[in-house]
Amino acid sequence: MDRSELVELLSAEGLRLLDSLPPYRTEKDVVRMVSDLRKAGHSPTLVAAVLTQAKLRRKAQVKFGEFASRMLFTEAGLEQATRLPIAARHAGRYRTAGLERVADLGCGIGGDALALAALELEVTAVEADEVTAAIASFNLAPFPTATVEHGRAEDVDLRSFDGVFLDPARRTAGHTQTERLTDPDDYTPSLGFAYELATGRSVGLKLGPGFDRDLIPSTAEAQWVSADGQVVEVGLWFGALARPGIRRAALVVRGDEAHELTAEADSEDAETGELGEFLYEPDGAVIRARLIGDLARRIGGRMAADGIAYITADDAVTTPFAAGFRILDTLPFQEKELRRELRSRGIGTLEIKKRGVDVDPAALRTRLSLSGDRPATLILSRIAGRHTALLAERL
């Protein structure tokens, strides 16, 4: 979105038109809507802007739920925006720590600032990109304790704030078709700037889930977060925002429920033992936080193999921190024999999971050409030093 599109979109005509659009599901719907809007006398710029926003609002429902229908977005801003339930947990840290005035540096479209303001904390949201700052202003307009400034994070006078939140831009500049940055020094603001701020201040820093663990300071609490099975971020918390005695945490959010596994440090793996009747695959946040050993001991399990994130146990256990499987059989690892065994069992719907083996699950599923009516899970891994295929069912 460029400045001219934003100006038209934020006009009374543009906002009324956006809110009046019916939902669409196919490209044919879009073509028809473009034709109808142009016949009604709306400019090509405005038509493009409102249709883009309609598409982004629909996509944003995953992160913002019903709030998405009253927000504005850029494609890049939505991609990096925090899911609202997780942003609410970010904000809760500031309230619990007694921090009342928060600077949100690099606020993007304003998702985290929105959550802070919803708790009636005073938040100043700062964004370097002019278009994105204007969109954040629109999104935060309903909240009297929130203000938006267009400027660089590095230029903000922080003396009047008691807390800082940073979600550095980790993609190249622009609103669409941006590329992921791999060097933290290229973030905006940079990682070095963020760490300098965290010296002597209460700072929250949101980063991508694959962030290099070797770059995490020993003074930070590192919390990996998964949402509905996908690891979405690692948060580094400093000062009053870091909880005493916790340096590693895995937060697992599924729908309206959230569960957390915490520790003072990376946990040692549990001992490796014989394959039991059940196999557990830890949630990605648990794996990233390196708390697999603690989870194994919690559920009375053991590692299925050295260096592989599968836990095995003799009893069925329900845990929010892992997916559980009952092992039905051990099958030959060779593809031809696998096909024969699976077909003989009438299996046509196959979930394939793998760790420690070089297999493309989608390609293997296609080559197996199954056509039965029974579902199953196939787990491919190394067990006792050998490639192994386990036929299983989910608990």
Side-chain angles (χ1 to χ4, degrees), residues 275-308:
L275 189 66
E277 184 179 351
F278 300 94
L279 194 77
Y280 296 89
E281 180 183 39
D283 183 89
V286 176
I287 295 173
R288 296 275 190 178
R290 293 187 183 169
L291 299 180
I292 304 170
D294 284 354
L295 175 59
R297 287 180 282 272
R298 173 181 288 209
I299 65 175
R302 51 197 177 270
M303 306 307 298
D306 289 332
I308 295 180

Side-chain angles (χ1 to χ4, degrees), residues 192-310:
F193 172 78
Y195 282 174
E196 185 176 353
L197 283 187
T199 304
R201 286 189 178 89
S202 295
V203 170
L205 175 59
K206 174 189 167 185
L207 297 166
F211 181 71
D212 186 348
R213 297 173 104 266
D214 291 339
L215 298 179
I216 298 175
S218 60
T219 55
E221 174 194 332
Q223 181 192 55
W224 283 263
V225 182
S226 72
D228 298 323
Q230 178 186 4
V231 187
V232 294
E233 68 173 63
V234 56
L236 303 186
W237 303 97
F238 300 85
L241 294 166
R243 295 170 291 182
I246 297 177
R247 285 296 176 264
R248 296 292 181 264
L251 178 65
V252 177
V253 180
R254 293 186 182 275
D256 296 330
E257 295 187 358
H259 304 269
E260 191 176 31
L261 197 61
T262 63
E264 295 184 2
D266 295 355
S267 71
E268 293 184 6
D269 281 349
E271 291 185 0
T272 301
E274 291 186 3
L275 189 66
E277 184 179 351
F278 300 94
L279 194 77
Y280 296 89
E281 180 183 39
D283 183 89
V286 176
I287 295 173
R288 296 275 190 178
R290 293 187 183 169
L291 299 180
I292 304 170
D294 284 354
L295 175 59
R297 287 180 282 272
R298 173 181 288 209
I299 65 175
R302 51 197 177 270
M303 306 307 298
D306 289 332
I308 295 180
Y310 281 138

Side-chain angles (χ1 to χ4, degrees), residues 1 6 53 72-74 109 131-140:
M1 178 186 298
L6 179 66
Q53 285 302 314
L72 298 180
F73 306 93
T74 66
I109 61 170
V131 169
T132 307
I135 286 177
S137 295
F138 178 90
N139 292 336
L140 291 168

Side-chain angles (χ1 to χ4, degrees), residues 71 82 99 170 200 224-225 289 300 383:
M71 296 176 68
T82 307
L99 307 178
R170 299 182 295 278
W224 283 263
V225 182
I383 306 292

